[in-house]
Amino acid sequence: MVTKTQLERLGLFDAKVPRYTSYPTAPHFSDTVGSEVHRGWIEALPEGAEISLYVHVPFCRRLCWFCACRTQGTQSEAPVRAYLDTLLAELDMLKQHLPAGVRLSRLHWGGGTPTLLAPDMMETLAGRIAEVAPFAEGAEFSVEIDPNEVDETRLAVLKAAGMNRASIGVQDFDPAIQKCIGREQSYEVTRDVIAAIRAHGVESLNADILFGLPHQTNAKITESVQKLLSLSPDRVALYGYAHVPWMARRQGMLPSDALPTPAERLELFATARKLFMWDGYAEIGIDHFALPDDGLARAQAENRLRRNFQGYTDDRAIALIGVGASSISRFPQGFSQNAPATGAHTAAIREGRFSTAKGHAFAGDDLLRARLIEAVMCDFRIRSAEITRDFGITGAELQGLFQEVATRFDGLVQVTEEGLFIPEDARPLTRLIARAFDAYDGSRARHSSAI
Protein backbone atom coordinates (compact mmCIF):
# COMPACT_ATOMS: atom_id res chain seq x y z
CA MET A 1 0.00 0.00 0.00
CA VAL A 2 1.45 3.32 -1.11
CA THR A 3 1.20 5.96 1.62
CA LYS A 4 0.85 9.72 1.34
CA THR A 5 4.26 9.97 2.99
CA GLN A 6 5.79 7.97 0.13
CA LEU A 7 3.96 10.04 -2.47
CA GLU A 8 5.20 13.24 -0.84
CA ARG A 9 8.79 11.98 -0.61
CA LEU A 10 8.75 10.98 -4.27
CA GLY A 11 7.73 14.52 -5.23
CA LEU A 12 4.03 14.19 -6.05
CA PHE A 13 2.93 17.21 -4.06
CA ASP A 14 5.56 19.71 -5.19
CA ALA A 15 6.77 18.60 -8.63
CA LYS A 16 5.91 20.57 -11.76
CA VAL A 17 5.29 18.01 -14.47
CA PRO A 18 3.94 18.27 -18.05
CA ARG A 19 0.66 16.64 -18.97
CA TYR A 20 2.53 14.97 -21.85
CA THR A 21 0.02 15.62 -24.60
CA SER A 22 3.12 15.64 -26.80
CA TYR A 23 6.75 14.60 -26.60
CA PRO A 24 8.79 16.65 -26.51
CA THR A 25 6.43 19.10 -24.87
CA ALA A 26 5.68 22.51 -26.40
CA PRO A 27 8.16 24.46 -24.20
CA HIS A 28 10.93 22.58 -26.03
CA PHE A 29 9.80 23.60 -29.52
CA SER A 30 12.18 25.94 -31.36
CA ASP A 31 12.19 28.23 -34.38
CA THR A 32 14.14 25.66 -36.39
CA VAL A 33 10.74 24.55 -37.72
CA GLY A 34 9.15 27.26 -39.86
CA SER A 35 6.52 27.63 -42.56
CA GLU A 36 8.55 25.90 -45.27
CA VAL A 37 9.10 22.84 -43.10
CA HIS A 38 5.40 22.79 -42.19
CA ARG A 39 4.43 22.99 -45.86
CA GLY A 40 6.87 20.22 -46.76
CA TRP A 41 5.43 17.93 -44.11
CA ILE A 42 1.92 18.53 -45.50
CA GLU A 43 3.07 17.73 -49.02
CA ALA A 44 4.82 14.56 -47.83
CA LEU A 45 1.59 12.99 -46.56
CA PRO A 46 0.56 9.92 -48.57
CA GLU A 47 -2.17 10.29 -51.16
CA GLY A 48 -5.48 9.10 -49.80
CA ALA A 49 -4.33 9.35 -46.19
CA GLU A 50 -6.71 9.96 -43.31
CA ILE A 51 -5.81 12.99 -41.23
CA SER A 52 -7.29 14.92 -38.31
CA LEU A 53 -7.99 18.64 -38.46
CA TYR A 54 -8.11 21.01 -35.48
CA VAL A 55 -9.62 24.48 -35.94
CA HIS A 56 -8.81 27.01 -33.23
CA VAL A 57 -11.18 29.89 -32.48
CA PRO A 58 -9.43 31.99 -29.81
CA PHE A 59 -12.29 34.39 -29.01
CA CYS A 60 -14.53 34.42 -25.93
CA ARG A 61 -17.36 36.73 -24.92
CA ARG A 62 -15.89 36.67 -21.43
CA LEU A 63 -12.52 35.49 -20.16
CA CYS A 64 -12.85 32.90 -17.42
CA TRP A 65 -10.33 33.67 -14.70
CA PHE A 66 -9.25 30.07 -14.20
CA CYS A 67 -8.38 29.53 -17.86
CA ALA A 68 -4.75 29.52 -19.05
CA CYS A 69 -5.56 28.99 -22.72
CA ARG A 70 -4.53 31.44 -25.43
CA THR A 71 -7.79 33.40 -25.78
CA GLN A 72 -8.97 36.97 -26.17
CA GLY A 73 -12.24 38.60 -25.18
CA THR A 74 -14.54 40.42 -27.56
CA GLN A 75 -17.97 42.00 -27.34
CA SER A 76 -18.00 42.74 -31.06
CA GLU A 77 -18.50 40.42 -34.03
CA ALA A 78 -16.07 42.35 -36.24
CA PRO A 79 -12.80 40.76 -35.05
CA VAL A 80 -14.37 37.31 -35.22
CA ARG A 81 -15.44 37.83 -38.83
CA ALA A 82 -11.99 39.14 -39.71
CA TYR A 83 -10.44 36.08 -38.08
CA LEU A 84 -12.79 33.81 -40.04
CA ASP A 85 -11.48 35.36 -43.26
CA THR A 86 -7.98 34.36 -42.14
CA LEU A 87 -9.11 30.82 -41.36
CA LEU A 88 -10.69 30.51 -44.80
CA ALA A 89 -7.50 31.71 -46.48
CA GLU A 90 -5.43 29.29 -44.39
CA LEU A 91 -7.73 26.42 -45.35
CA ASP A 92 -7.39 27.35 -49.02
CA MET A 93 -3.62 27.27 -48.61
CA LEU A 94 -3.82 23.89 -46.91
CA LYS A 95 -5.92 22.54 -49.77
CA GLN A 96 -3.28 23.64 -52.28
CA HIS A 97 -0.59 21.58 -50.59
CA LEU A 98 -2.48 18.49 -49.43
CA PRO A 99 -1.93 15.39 -51.58
CA ALA A 100 -4.87 14.01 -53.53
CA GLY A 101 -7.56 11.98 -51.84
CA VAL A 102 -6.88 13.03 -48.24
CA ARG A 103 -9.90 12.55 -45.96
CA LEU A 104 -10.76 13.62 -42.42
CA SER A 105 -11.04 11.00 -39.70
CA ARG A 106 -11.47 13.64 -36.99
CA LEU A 107 -12.49 17.30 -37.06
CA HIS A 108 -12.46 19.34 -33.88
CA TRP A 109 -13.41 22.97 -33.37
CA GLY A 110 -11.80 24.26 -30.20
CA GLY A 111 -11.10 27.50 -28.47
CA GLY A 112 -11.78 29.85 -27.04
CA THR A 113 -15.46 29.58 -27.86
CA PRO A 114 -16.26 28.16 -31.32
CA THR A 115 -19.98 28.66 -30.65
CA LEU A 116 -19.30 32.39 -30.59
CA LEU A 117 -19.38 32.18 -34.40
CA ALA A 118 -22.64 33.38 -35.91
CA PRO A 119 -24.65 30.69 -37.75
CA ASP A 120 -23.67 31.97 -41.21
CA MET A 121 -20.01 31.95 -40.15
CA MET A 122 -20.34 28.34 -39.00
CA GLU A 123 -21.89 27.35 -42.33
CA THR A 124 -19.11 29.09 -44.26
CA LEU A 125 -16.35 27.51 -42.19
CA ALA A 126 -17.84 24.02 -42.38
CA GLY A 127 -18.34 24.34 -46.13
CA ARG A 128 -14.75 25.42 -46.72
CA ILE A 129 -13.41 22.54 -44.62
CA ALA A 130 -15.48 20.10 -46.71
CA GLU A 131 -13.79 21.51 -49.82
CA VAL A 132 -10.36 20.90 -48.29
CA ALA A 133 -11.02 17.26 -47.38
CA PRO A 134 -14.24 15.24 -47.08
CA PHE A 135 -15.07 13.13 -44.07
CA ALA A 136 -13.85 9.54 -44.06
CA GLU A 137 -16.26 6.76 -43.19
CA GLY A 138 -16.90 6.77 -39.44
CA ALA A 139 -15.42 10.25 -39.02
CA GLU A 140 -15.97 12.22 -35.84
CA PHE A 141 -16.75 15.94 -35.81
CA SER A 142 -16.63 17.44 -32.32
CA VAL A 143 -17.19 21.00 -31.15
CA GLU A 144 -16.45 22.68 -27.83
CA ILE A 145 -19.72 24.24 -26.70
CA ASP A 146 -20.15 26.95 -24.09
CA PRO A 147 -23.71 26.54 -22.75
CA ASN A 148 -23.85 30.32 -22.31
CA GLU A 149 -22.95 30.90 -25.96
CA VAL A 150 -25.14 28.60 -28.03
CA ASP A 151 -28.71 28.50 -29.29
CA GLU A 152 -31.03 26.29 -31.34
CA THR A 153 -29.99 27.88 -34.64
CA ARG A 154 -26.29 27.27 -34.04
CA LEU A 155 -26.93 23.70 -32.93
CA ALA A 156 -28.97 23.07 -36.07
CA VAL A 157 -26.17 24.42 -38.26
CA LEU A 158 -23.55 22.31 -36.52
CA LYS A 159 -25.64 19.17 -36.78
CA ALA A 160 -26.26 19.82 -40.49
CA ALA A 161 -22.49 20.22 -40.95
CA GLY A 162 -21.93 16.78 -39.44
CA MET A 163 -21.25 17.39 -35.75
CA ASN A 164 -21.67 14.05 -33.98
CA ARG A 165 -19.88 14.79 -30.70
CA ALA A 166 -20.28 17.78 -28.43
CA SER A 167 -17.94 18.84 -25.65
CA ILE A 168 -19.35 20.83 -22.73
CA GLY A 169 -17.25 22.71 -20.19
CA VAL A 170 -18.72 22.35 -16.69
CA GLN A 171 -15.77 23.05 -14.35
CA ASP A 172 -17.95 23.05 -11.19
CA PHE A 173 -21.65 23.51 -10.42
CA ASP A 174 -21.22 25.27 -7.08
CA PRO A 175 -22.40 28.90 -7.57
CA ALA A 176 -19.85 30.36 -5.15
CA ILE A 177 -16.97 28.55 -6.86
CA GLN A 178 -18.28 29.59 -10.28
CA LYS A 179 -18.34 33.22 -9.22
CA CYS A 180 -14.84 32.91 -7.77
CA ILE A 181 -13.38 31.55 -11.04
CA GLY A 182 -15.32 33.89 -13.34
CA ARG A 183 -17.44 31.17 -14.92
CA GLU A 184 -21.08 31.47 -13.86
CA GLN A 185 -23.04 28.71 -15.55
CA SER A 186 -25.99 27.19 -13.76
CA TYR A 187 -26.86 23.52 -13.68
CA GLU A 188 -30.19 24.36 -15.32
CA VAL A 189 -28.54 26.14 -18.27
CA THR A 190 -26.14 23.23 -18.75
CA ARG A 191 -28.95 20.66 -18.47
CA ASP A 192 -31.12 22.46 -21.03
CA VAL A 193 -28.29 22.84 -23.55
CA ILE A 194 -27.40 19.16 -23.25
CA ALA A 195 -31.06 18.27 -23.80
CA ALA A 196 -31.09 20.50 -26.89
CA ILE A 197 -27.91 18.91 -28.23
CA ARG A 198 -29.45 15.46 -27.89
CA ALA A 199 -32.72 16.64 -29.40
CA HIS A 200 -30.73 17.55 -32.51
CA GLY A 201 -29.55 13.95 -32.74
CA VAL A 202 -26.03 14.41 -31.37
CA GLU A 203 -25.72 11.36 -29.17
CA SER A 204 -22.08 11.55 -28.05
CA LEU A 205 -21.30 14.02 -25.31
CA ASN A 206 -18.08 14.94 -23.52
CA ALA A 207 -17.90 17.02 -20.35
CA ASP A 208 -14.99 18.69 -18.55
CA ILE A 209 -14.91 19.17 -14.79
CA LEU A 210 -12.11 20.54 -12.61
CA PHE A 211 -10.69 19.62 -9.25
CA GLY A 212 -8.36 21.80 -7.18
CA LEU A 213 -10.40 24.99 -7.53
CA PRO A 214 -10.57 27.62 -4.78
CA HIS A 215 -13.00 26.76 -1.96
CA GLN A 216 -13.52 23.26 -3.36
CA THR A 217 -14.18 20.57 -0.73
CA ASN A 218 -15.01 16.88 -0.93
CA ALA A 219 -18.65 17.68 -0.23
CA LYS A 220 -18.80 20.31 -2.97
CA ILE A 221 -17.09 18.21 -5.61
CA THR A 222 -19.36 15.29 -4.69
CA GLU A 223 -22.41 17.44 -5.37
CA SER A 224 -20.99 18.72 -8.67
CA VAL A 225 -20.08 15.24 -9.89
CA GLN A 226 -23.49 13.86 -8.95
CA LYS A 227 -25.18 16.67 -10.87
CA LEU A 228 -22.96 15.93 -13.85
CA LEU A 229 -23.75 12.22 -13.66
CA SER A 230 -27.46 13.06 -13.79
CA LEU A 231 -26.78 14.40 -17.32
CA SER A 232 -25.22 11.07 -18.42
CA PRO A 233 -22.19 12.27 -20.43
CA ASP A 234 -20.53 9.56 -22.50
CA ARG A 235 -17.08 10.60 -21.35
CA VAL A 236 -15.69 12.98 -18.75
CA ALA A 237 -12.34 14.73 -18.41
CA LEU A 238 -11.50 15.31 -14.74
CA TYR A 239 -8.71 17.86 -15.02
CA GLY A 240 -6.66 19.28 -12.20
CA TYR A 241 -6.76 23.07 -12.12
CA ALA A 242 -3.25 24.39 -12.75
CA HIS A 243 -2.63 27.68 -10.96
CA VAL A 244 -0.04 29.45 -13.11
CA PRO A 245 -0.64 33.21 -12.72
CA TRP A 246 2.89 33.91 -14.01
CA MET A 247 1.70 32.50 -17.35
CA ALA A 248 -1.98 33.50 -17.26
CA ARG A 249 -2.37 36.88 -15.55
CA ARG A 250 -6.13 36.51 -15.24
CA GLN A 251 -5.57 33.71 -12.71
CA GLY A 252 -4.35 36.39 -10.35
CA MET A 253 -8.06 37.14 -9.85
CA LEU A 254 -8.41 33.85 -7.98
CA PRO A 255 -7.76 33.81 -4.21
CA SER A 256 -4.62 31.69 -3.94
CA ASP A 257 -5.12 31.30 -0.20
CA ALA A 258 -8.39 29.46 -0.91
CA LEU A 259 -6.75 26.85 -3.12
CA PRO A 260 -6.69 23.31 -1.70
CA THR A 261 -3.32 21.94 -0.64
CA PRO A 262 -1.67 19.27 -2.80
CA ALA A 263 -2.82 16.56 -0.39
CA GLU A 264 -6.36 17.95 -0.51
CA ARG A 265 -6.23 17.99 -4.32
CA LEU A 266 -5.43 14.29 -4.26
CA GLU A 267 -8.45 13.68 -2.02
CA LEU A 268 -10.68 15.72 -4.34
CA PHE A 269 -9.59 13.63 -7.31
CA ALA A 270 -10.06 10.39 -5.40
CA THR A 271 -13.57 11.43 -4.35
CA ALA A 272 -14.64 12.29 -7.90
CA ARG A 273 -12.97 9.17 -9.30
CA LYS A 274 -14.93 6.90 -6.97
CA LEU A 275 -18.20 8.53 -7.96
CA PHE A 276 -17.59 8.05 -11.68
CA MET A 277 -16.53 4.44 -11.23
CA TRP A 278 -19.44 3.66 -8.92
CA ASP A 279 -21.71 4.91 -11.70
CA GLY A 280 -20.24 2.43 -14.18
CA TYR A 281 -17.68 4.57 -15.98
CA ALA A 282 -14.41 3.01 -17.09
CA GLU A 283 -11.27 4.81 -15.93
CA ILE A 284 -9.32 6.02 -18.96
CA GLY A 285 -5.71 6.97 -18.32
CA ILE A 286 -4.96 9.47 -15.58
CA ASP A 287 -7.96 11.79 -15.81
CA HIS A 288 -10.71 10.55 -18.13
CA PHE A 289 -13.77 8.37 -17.59
CA ALA A 290 -16.02 6.84 -20.23
CA LEU A 291 -19.09 4.67 -20.47
CA PRO A 292 -18.23 1.09 -21.48
CA ASP A 293 -19.57 1.48 -25.04
CA ASP A 294 -17.74 4.78 -25.68
CA GLY A 295 -14.93 4.77 -28.21
CA LEU A 296 -12.30 5.60 -25.58
CA ALA A 297 -13.28 2.62 -23.43
CA ARG A 298 -13.15 0.29 -26.43
CA ALA A 299 -9.79 1.71 -27.50
CA GLN A 300 -8.35 1.16 -24.04
CA ALA A 301 -9.61 -2.42 -23.93
CA GLU A 302 -8.05 -3.10 -27.34
CA ASN A 303 -4.71 -1.34 -26.63
CA ARG A 304 -5.53 1.38 -29.18
CA LEU A 305 -5.69 4.35 -26.80
CA ARG A 306 -3.52 7.27 -27.81
CA ARG A 307 -2.76 10.77 -26.53
CA ASN A 308 -2.69 14.08 -28.38
CA PHE A 309 -3.21 17.79 -27.73
CA GLN A 310 -6.89 17.27 -26.92
CA GLY A 311 -6.04 14.56 -24.36
CA TYR A 312 -6.96 10.91 -24.83
CA THR A 313 -8.16 9.76 -28.21
CA ASP A 314 -8.92 6.67 -30.28
CA ASP A 315 -7.90 8.48 -33.46
CA ARG A 316 -5.25 6.66 -35.52
CA ALA A 317 -4.81 9.30 -38.24
CA ILE A 318 -1.32 9.68 -39.65
CA ALA A 319 -1.29 13.42 -38.93
CA LEU A 320 -3.12 16.09 -36.95
CA ILE A 321 -3.12 19.47 -38.68
CA GLY A 322 -4.00 22.58 -36.70
CA VAL A 323 -5.33 25.76 -38.32
CA GLY A 324 -5.77 29.07 -36.58
CA ALA A 325 -3.57 31.08 -34.25
CA SER A 326 -1.43 29.01 -31.85
CA SER A 327 -2.64 25.67 -33.27
CA ILE A 328 -0.19 22.77 -33.09
CA SER A 329 0.18 20.13 -35.80
CA ARG A 330 1.70 16.68 -35.51
CA PHE A 331 3.22 14.93 -38.52
CA PRO A 332 5.24 11.72 -38.78
CA GLN A 333 8.32 13.99 -38.96
CA GLY A 334 7.57 16.22 -35.97
CA PHE A 335 5.50 19.07 -34.54
CA SER A 336 4.79 22.56 -35.84
CA GLN A 337 2.97 25.41 -34.12
CA ASN A 338 1.33 28.49 -35.61
CA ALA A 339 2.07 31.98 -34.34
CA PRO A 340 0.22 32.44 -31.03
CA ALA A 341 -0.94 36.02 -31.58
CA THR A 342 -3.81 36.50 -34.01
CA GLY A 343 -2.09 39.54 -35.52
CA ALA A 344 1.09 37.66 -36.41
CA HIS A 345 -0.90 34.68 -37.64
CA THR A 346 -3.08 36.85 -39.87
CA ALA A 347 -0.08 38.74 -41.28
CA ALA A 348 1.59 35.48 -42.34
CA ILE A 349 -1.53 34.13 -44.03
CA ARG A 350 -2.01 37.43 -45.90
CA GLU A 351 1.55 37.06 -47.18
CA GLY A 352 0.64 33.66 -48.59
CA ARG A 353 2.60 31.53 -46.13
CA PHE A 354 1.76 29.37 -43.17
CA SER A 355 2.29 31.14 -39.86
CA THR A 356 4.47 28.39 -38.36
CA ALA A 357 6.51 30.02 -35.61
CA LYS A 358 8.19 27.04 -33.99
CA GLY A 359 8.16 23.28 -33.73
CA HIS A 360 10.32 20.21 -33.38
CA ALA A 361 11.66 17.72 -35.91
CA PHE A 362 11.99 14.24 -34.45
CA ALA A 363 15.58 13.09 -34.00
CA GLY A 364 17.57 10.53 -32.06
CA ASP A 365 15.37 8.46 -29.78
CA ASP A 366 12.46 10.93 -29.72
CA LEU A 367 9.95 8.47 -31.17
CA LEU A 368 11.00 5.71 -28.80
CA ARG A 369 10.65 7.92 -25.75
CA ALA A 370 7.40 9.38 -27.05
CA ARG A 371 5.92 5.91 -27.24
CA LEU A 372 7.23 4.92 -23.79
CA ILE A 373 5.63 8.03 -22.28
CA GLU A 374 2.38 7.55 -24.21
CA ALA A 375 2.13 3.91 -23.08
CA VAL A 376 2.63 4.92 -19.45
CA MET A 377 0.04 7.71 -19.72
CA CYS A 378 -2.53 5.60 -21.58
CA ASP A 379 -2.15 2.08 -20.25
CA PHE A 380 -0.04 2.35 -17.07
CA ARG A 381 2.18 -0.27 -18.65
CA ILE A 382 4.83 -0.66 -21.32
CA ARG A 383 4.86 -3.92 -23.26
CA SER A 384 8.45 -4.87 -24.01
CA ALA A 385 7.56 -6.96 -27.07
CA GLU A 386 5.94 -3.97 -28.77
CA ILE A 387 8.86 -1.63 -28.05
CA THR A 388 11.62 -4.02 -29.14
CA ARG A 389 9.63 -4.84 -32.30
CA ASP A 390 9.00 -1.24 -33.33
CA PHE A 391 11.99 0.77 -32.14
CA GLY A 392 15.20 -1.21 -32.56
CA ILE A 393 16.09 -1.36 -28.88
CA THR A 394 17.21 -4.65 -27.37
CA GLY A 395 15.36 -6.36 -24.58
CA ALA A 396 18.38 -6.01 -22.31
CA GLU A 397 18.62 -2.24 -22.94
CA LEU A 398 14.93 -1.81 -22.27
CA GLN A 399 15.09 -3.85 -19.07
CA GLY A 400 17.96 -1.71 -17.88
CA LEU A 401 15.93 1.45 -18.49
CA PHE A 402 12.94 -0.04 -16.68
CA GLN A 403 15.05 -1.01 -13.69
CA GLU A 404 16.42 2.51 -13.40
CA VAL A 405 12.87 3.85 -13.26
CA ALA A 406 11.77 1.24 -10.72
CA THR A 407 14.72 2.11 -8.49
CA ARG A 408 13.94 5.82 -8.71
CA PHE A 409 10.41 5.10 -7.49
CA ASP A 410 11.31 2.78 -4.61
CA GLY A 411 10.21 -0.33 -6.45
CA LEU A 412 6.60 0.88 -6.69
CA VAL A 413 6.86 0.31 -10.43
CA GLN A 414 6.76 -3.39 -11.29
CA VAL A 415 9.23 -4.72 -13.86
CA THR A 416 8.94 -8.19 -15.39
CA GLU A 417 10.04 -9.89 -18.61
CA GLU A 418 6.79 -8.66 -20.16
CA GLY A 419 7.60 -5.03 -19.40
CA LEU A 420 6.82 -2.27 -16.91
CA PHE A 421 3.58 -1.87 -14.96
CA ILE A 422 2.25 0.77 -12.56
CA PRO A 423 -0.02 -0.78 -9.89
CA GLU A 424 -3.25 1.03 -9.09
CA ASP A 425 -2.14 2.50 -5.77
CA ALA A 426 0.97 4.00 -7.41
CA ARG A 427 -0.91 5.63 -10.30
CA PRO A 428 -0.97 9.11 -8.77
CA LEU A 429 2.74 9.05 -9.71
CA THR A 430 2.06 8.34 -13.39
CA ARG A 431 3.15 11.71 -14.76
CA LEU A 432 6.29 11.64 -12.64
CA ILE A 433 7.05 8.15 -13.95
CA ALA A 434 6.47 9.36 -17.50
CA ARG A 435 8.92 12.19 -16.88
CA ALA A 436 11.56 9.59 -16.00
CA PHE A 437 11.59 8.67 -19.70
CA ASP A 438 11.88 12.32 -20.80
CA ALA A 439 15.34 13.05 -22.20
CA TYR A 440 14.62 16.77 -22.20
CA ASP A 441 14.68 18.88 -19.06
CA GLY A 442 11.13 18.16 -17.96
CA SER A 443 11.84 19.51 -14.49
CA ARG A 444 11.79 23.03 -15.96
CA ALA A 445 8.17 22.71 -17.07
CA ARG A 446 6.19 25.04 -14.80
CA HIS A 447 2.77 24.90 -16.38
CA SER A 448 1.24 22.11 -14.35
CA SER A 449 1.57 20.42 -10.98
CA ALA A 450 1.92 16.65 -10.76
CA ILE A 451 -1.70 16.21 -9.64
Side-chain angles (χ1 to χ4, degrees):
M1 181 68 180
V2 179
T3 66
K4 286 186 179 179
T5 300
Q6 284 178 291
L7 296 176
E8 182 176 13
R9 183 168 50 79
L10 291 169
L12 180 67
F13 297 150
D14 56 13
K16 304 297 181 183
V17 189
R19 296 187 189 276
Y20 286 114
T21 53
S22 71
Y23 179 81
T25 56
H28 297 289
F29 293 176
S30 73
D31 60 6
T32 56
V33 173
S35 60
E36 292 185 5
V37 172
H38 178 80
R39 184 188 66 206
W41 287 348
I42 293 171
E43 294 172 344
L45 292 169
E47 291 189 1
E50 290 191 8
I51 66 169
S52 294
L53 184 68
Y54 172 78
V55 179
H56 186 61
V57 180
F59 296 95
C60 294
R61 190 82 62 195
R62 55 182 180 168
L63 295 178
C64 303
W65 301 334
F66 72 88
C67 181
C69 297
R70 184 87 187 194
T71 57
Q72 57 193 83
T74 180
Q75 297 297 315
S76 167
E77 194 176 82
V80 184
R81 287 196 175 275
Y83 181 77
L84 175 62
D85 289 341
T86 300
L87 283 180
L88 299 177
E90 185 178 6
L91 287 166
D92 288 343
M93 198 183 312
L94 174 61
K95 181 181 179 180
Q96 293 173 13
H97 296 284
L98 274 176
V102 169
R103 297 172 299 161
L104 297 182
S105 66
R106 295 289 189 278
L107 170 62
H108 183 74
W109 291 9
T113 309
T115 49
L116 195 67
L117 297 174
D120 68 294
M121 298 166 71
M122 290 180 171
E123 289 179 334
T124 300
L125 178 58
R128 190 65 57 88
I129 291 170
E131 294 174 4
V132 173
F135 285 124
E137 183 178 355
E140 185 175 285
F141 174 19
S142 56
V143 179
E144 294 176 15
I145 293 176
D146 180 348
N148 292 305
E149 289 290 346
V150 72
D151 53 29
E152 290 285 347
T153 303
R154 285 176 167 83
L155 290 177
V157 169
L158 290 172
K159 175 59 180 175
M163 180 180 75
N164 52 15
R165 180 176 291 279
S167 183
I168 299 289
V170 170
Q171 322 319 338
D172 194 285
F173 280 123
D174 184 89
I177 293 176
Q178 289 183 352
K179 186 174 183 179
C180 177
I181 66 175
R183 176 64 178 257
E184 297 184 51
Q185 174 185 314
S186 71
Y187 168 78
E188 290 75 20
V189 166
T190 307
R191 177 200 62 200
D192 292 348
V193 166
I194 287 176
I197 290 169
R198 288 183 168 140
H200 281 278
V202 180
E203 297 180 354
S204 298
L205 180 75
N206 303 359
D208 296 346
I209 192 167
L210 293 175
F211 70 93
L213 292 171
H215 305 298
Q216 220 171 28
T217 63
N218 282 337
K220 288 184 176 183
I221 201 170
T222 294
E223 184 176 1
S224 287
V225 170
Q226 288 175 333
K227 285 182 175 179
L228 179 58
L229 287 170
S230 74
L231 304 175
S232 301
D234 296 271
R235 66 179 69 158
V236 178
L238 176 61
Y239 292 129
Y241 166 66
H243 191 59
V244 288
W246 55 88
M247 292 180 61
R249 292 183 182 178
R250 71 189 79 161
Q251 289 188 350
M253 301 285 288
L254 275 64
S256 58
D257 58 348
L259 291 169
T261 66
E264 289 169 342
R265 285 170 61 94
L266 186 61
E267 288 294 330
L268 290 168
F269 175 84
T271 297
R273 172 182 179 270
K274 288 177 182 177
L275 292 169
F276 287 121
M277 298 186 71
W278 285 344
D279 221 53
Y281 285 74
E283 187 172 19
I284 310 295
I286 64 169
D287 54 17
H288 279 54
F289 301 86
L291 292 174
D293 60 350
D294 183 81
L296 283 188
R298 294 195 302 269
Q300 184 179 59
E302 298 166 7
N303 192 33
R304 296 185 291 104
L305 190 64
R306 293 295 180 262
R307 195 153 170 82
N308 65 15
F309 298 106
Q310 282 78 59
Y312 290 104
T313 181
D314 56 354
D315 184 23
R316 299 301 298 270
I318 190 173
L320 166 65
I321 298 178
V323 298
S326 79
S327 290
I328 301 178
S329 302
R330 186 196 188 281
F331 297 93
Q333 300 92 336
F335 299 106
S336 57
Q337 182 171 16
N338 288 348
T342 55
H345 174 70
T346 298
I349 301 302
R350 285 177 177 172
E351 293 171 3
R353 58 182 175 84
F354 293 106
S355 78
T356 313
K358 58 183 178 179
H360 178 86
F362 295 135
D365 61 1
D366 282 349
L367 292 176
L368 164 63
R369 291 182 179 273
R371 180 56 193 147
L372 293 174
I373 289 171
E374 183 180 55
V376 166
M377 296 289 291
C378 289
D379 305 319
F380 304 113
R381 70 172 68 240
I382 301 173
R383 296 170 174 85
S384 294
E386 173 201 334
I387 302 302
T388 55
R389 179 195 68 205
D390 295 343
F391 294 98
I393 185 173
T394 68
E397 291 171 327
L398 196 57
Q399 281 289 310
L401 184 57
F402 289 167
Q403 290 295 344
E404 288 180 15
V405 173
T407 299
R408 186 180 306 184
F409 289 94
D410 291 352
L412 297 177
V413 177
Q414 296 177 3
V415 178
T416 67
E417 291 184 1
E418 285 72 33
L420 178 146
F421 177 70
I422 306 174
E424 184 172 329
D425 60 352
R427 288 178 185 172
L429 295 165
T430 297
R431 282 163 58 193
L432 286 167
I433 294 167
R435 191 177 69 176
F437 294 102
D438 189 340
Y440 298 88
D441 188 8
S443 63
R444 290 192 307 172
R446 302 186 63 213
H447 62 279
S448 177
S449 64
I451 56 173

